[in-house]
């Protein structure tokens, strides 16, 4: 019976990775393993080597069978034991991300804004002992709709994740909870770097000729020009309709084309509005009118909501639930553009974490396109989820974000 208990205990424990520095470069894995076994149980040693020469870099990773054994190795050797041939004591610490991984920390999204810690605890305590629970709140102590939760064991966290993620909807919410492993600091840094790289790669390549002529952007130009339209950071994305470069920038409306030709003749053609087709009428109200042209924005029936989204006429704006979490604005637009011209598409994300809230808006230029999308997409399987597509009723839905 004792053997069964011991086996059960060891199966529930997680192996732990330690980083060890100040290891003499002449030492082998077997020698390091033998040395550490004087203080703790060690399953494996991996010396870090140069990729080309395969020579030791003077450091290694240890794999211990449990956190208890890892702590023994750290306490016995860190800054306390100097090996022959080394100039400094051993540096023994948890490898990057290990402590966070061992916390069994979950991220919970799509919580109702008025939910309390007790309500969250009541739901998640069914699957194990909760060590810590924190609902993220803003400056006014209002909930951001997400929380972090720690369990005592990994098995408890796995059970909660499998039972609740995408399957349980809290009272007062129209979408199921999102439950996933909380990112480690290393993962957060990688995501921020990837996001920054993506933003840079999506910027239009600057024309050096135009830059040398105009230098900094003209006065009165605030939002960035992305080649499709003007869009301030954090506002609703526009689906692609290509505006000619520099054509609509307000700082150039009063520029005489003869002046441009005199300074840079090769730019005269590219700056001439007559060289390009006119953009859709529904876009003209959001941006200054083209030189010599009249804006027919109001006649198109399109408008701009209080939070920046370009909307179509009444009956042409959709509210969509259960959007796959991995979808962004562009994927949403692509999924709905087959039914008509999409004016805008926006998925709402949590401001604190950047995680999709799995609902959003799509606006068409005609009510007929919206009805066609409802008839074809409502209940349709998309990325493993059944979409719920309906007409946007009022401004309440706009304020969900």
């Amino acid at each position: 019976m004792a053997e069964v208990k011991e086996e059960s205990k060891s199966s529930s424990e997680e192996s732990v990775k330690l980083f060890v520095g100040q290891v003499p470069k002449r030492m082998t894995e077997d020698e390091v393993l033998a040395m550490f076994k004087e203080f703790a149980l060690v399953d494996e040693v991996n010396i870090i080597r140069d990729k080309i020469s395969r020579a030791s870099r003077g450091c290694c990773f240890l794999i211990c069978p449990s956190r208890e054994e890892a702590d023994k190795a750290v306490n016995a050797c860190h800054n306390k034991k100097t090996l022959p041939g080394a100039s400094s004591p051993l540096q023994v610490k948890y490898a990057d991300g290990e402590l966070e991984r061992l916390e069994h920390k979950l991220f919970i999204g799509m919580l109702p804004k008025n939910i309390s810690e007790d309500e969250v605890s009541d739901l998640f305590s069914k699957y194990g002992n909760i060590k810590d629970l924190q609902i993220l709140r803003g400056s006014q102590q209002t909930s951001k709709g997400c929380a972090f939760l720690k369990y005592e064991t990994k098995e408890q966290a796995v059970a909660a994740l499998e039972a609740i993620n995408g399957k349980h909807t809290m009272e007062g919410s129209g979408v199921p909870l999102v439950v996933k492993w909380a990112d480690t600091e290393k993962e957060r840094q990688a995501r921020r770097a990837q996001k920054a790289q993506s933003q840079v790669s999506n910027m239009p390549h600057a024309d050096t000729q135009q830059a040398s002529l105009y230098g900094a952007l003209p006065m009165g130009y605030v939002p960035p020009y992305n080649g499709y339209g003007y869009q301030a950071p954090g506002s609703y994305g526009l689906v692609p309709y290509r505006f000619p470069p520099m054509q609509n920038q307000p700082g150039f409306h009063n520029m005489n084309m003869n002046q441009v030709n005199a300074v840079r003749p090769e730019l005269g053609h590219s700056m001439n509005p007559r060289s390009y087709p006119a953009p859709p009428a529904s876009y003209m109200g959001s941006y200054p009118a083209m030189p010599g042209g009249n804006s027919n924005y109001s006649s198109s029936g399109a408008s701009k909501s209080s939070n920046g989204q370009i909307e179509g006429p009444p009956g042409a704006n959709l509210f969509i639930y259960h959007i796959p979490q991995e979808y962004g604005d562009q994927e949403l637009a692509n999924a709905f553009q087959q039914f008509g011209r999409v004016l805008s598409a926006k998925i709402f994300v949590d401001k604190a974490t950047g995680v999709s809230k799995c609902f959003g808006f799509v606006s068409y230029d005609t009510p007929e396109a919206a009805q066609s999308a409802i008839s074809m997409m409502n209940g349709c399987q998309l990325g493993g989820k059944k979409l719920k597509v309906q007409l946007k009723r009022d401004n309440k839905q706009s304020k969900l974000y």
Side-chain angles (χ1 to χ4, degrees):
M1 190 69 177
E3 292 180 1
V4 174
K5 288 183 178 179
E6 185 66 24
E7 184 180 346
S8 174
K9 178 181 178 182
S10 69
S11 66
S12 66
E13 291 177 334
E14 298 175 72
S15 60
V16 178
K17 181 188 284 189
L18 297 179
F19 172 82
V20 183
Q22 296 300 324
V23 177
K25 293 183 178 182
R26 59 174 177 76
M27 288 190 75
T28 65
E29 275 93 348
D30 289 340
E31 290 173 329
V32 175
L33 179 63
M35 187 275 296
F36 271 98
K37 278 192 172 181
E38 297 178 17
F39 311 103
L41 294 177
V42 178
D43 291 336
E44 188 179 344
V45 174
N46 294 306
I47 289 180
I48 301 173
R49 301 180 182 278
D50 184 88
K51 290 183 178 180
I52 299 175
S53 67
R54 304 306 299 162
S56 169
R57 290 189 170 183
C59 50
C60 67
F61 288 116
L62 298 184
I63 307 297
C64 296
S66 67
R67 186 166 184 174
E68 181 183 358
E69 295 299 325
D71 287 339
K72 288 180 183 179
V74 172
N75 295 333
C77 300
H78 179 63
N79 271 335
K80 295 179 181 178
K81 185 175 180 63
T82 303
L83 297 178
S87 58
S88 302
L90 286 171
Q91 301 297 301
V92 186
K93 62 180 182 178
Y94 282 83
D96 289 347
E98 281 294 279
L99 284 175
E100 290 176 291
R101 182 181 68 82
L102 294 168
E103 285 181 327
H104 316 303
K105 186 176 182 180
L106 296 177
F107 169 81
I108 308 165
M110 309 309 295
L111 291 169
K113 295 297 179 70
N114 59 349
I115 199 168
S116 66
E117 276 84 354
D118 289 341
E119 291 174 286
V120 178
S121 181
D122 288 344
L123 171 62
F124 281 85
S125 61
K126 300 174 185 177
Y127 305 97
N129 297 323
I130 297 174
K131 292 176 61 178
D132 184 52
L133 171 62
Q134 178 187 10
I135 293 179
L136 300 186
R137 301 185 182 278
S139 58
Q140 304 298 321
Q141 291 303 304
T142 55
S143 169
K144 293 184 176 181
C146 54
F148 289 105
L149 181 147
K150 297 179 185 177
Y151 278 107
E152 283 190 352
T153 68
K154 181 180 180 180
E155 288 72 22
Q156 294 169 354
V158 170
L161 191 153
E162 292 179 347
I164 299 176
N165 181 42
K167 300 174 183 177
H168 184 89
T169 302
M170 301 291 289
E171 185 177 352
S173 174
V175 292
L177 292 177
V178 173
V179 183
K180 66 172 190 173
W181 293 109
D183 289 343
T184 64
E185 179 59 30
K186 191 173 183 179
E187 290 169 334
R188 286 192 290 271
Q189 290 176 354
R191 191 177 64 214
R192 285 194 290 266
Q194 185 179 18
K195 184 177 180 180
Q197 184 178 5
S198 175
Q199 290 174 341
V200 171
S201 63
N202 288 334
M203 290 176 62
H205 297 296
D207 187 310
T208 55
Q209 293 180 338
Q210 291 177 352
S212 64
L213 171 61
Y214 304 117
L217 290 171
M219 292 180 62
Y221 178 85
V222 178
Y225 183 77
N226 62 9
Y228 296 100
Y230 296 93
Q231 181 180 357
S235 66
Y236 285 79
L238 302 178
V239 295
Y241 179 86
R242 197 116 186 130
F243 282 101
M246 311 299 290
Q247 178 178 331
N248 282 343
Q249 294 190 10
F252 301 114
H253 287 171
N254 297 322
M255 182 175 286
N256 189 306
M257 297 308 299
N258 292 327
Q259 293 174 333
V260 176
N261 289 328
V263 179
R264 296 291 298 277
E266 69 273 20
L267 294 181
H269 176 76
S270 65
M271 291 291 293
N272 190 342
R274 296 186 180 89
S275 303
Y276 299 94
S282 56
Y283 278 86
M284 294 302 292
S286 300
Y287 315 110
M290 292 170 55
N294 297 320
S295 172
N296 56 355
Y297 171 74
S298 59
S299 64
S300 70
S303 63
K304 195 171 185 179
S305 67
S306 59
N307 49 14
Q309 183 194 9
I310 293 181
E311 296 184 342
N317 306 293
L318 302 180
F319 188 66
I320 304 158
Y321 294 97
H322 306 158
I323 300 169
Q325 194 173 19
E326 66 272 15
Y327 269 47
D329 295 352
Q330 187 59 59
E331 288 79 10
L332 180 63
N334 291 342
F336 280 81
Q337 66 183 2
Q338 58 185 308
F339 307 106
R341 185 159 63 85
V342 176
L343 300 182
S344 63
K346 176 66 180 176
I347 291 177
F348 290 103
V349 298
D350 186 272
K351 291 182 178 178
T353 64
V355 176
S356 167
K357 292 187 175 182
C358 301
F359 61 83
F361 292 107
V362 169
S363 292
Y364 289 101
D365 60 345
T366 66
E368 291 77 15
Q371 288 298 330
S372 177
I374 292 174
S375 63
M376 296 298 293
M377 298 297 284
N378 187 41
C380 176
Q381 285 280 136
L382 190 63
K385 289 190 174 184
K386 275 192 175 182
L387 293 181
K388 182 179 179 182
V389 184
Q390 63 185 44
L391 285 176
K392 180 183 170 185
R393 295 188 299 273
D394 51 38
N395 290 332
K396 290 182 181 179
Q397 290 174 331
S398 298
K399 297 177 181 177
L400 283 173
Y401 183 56

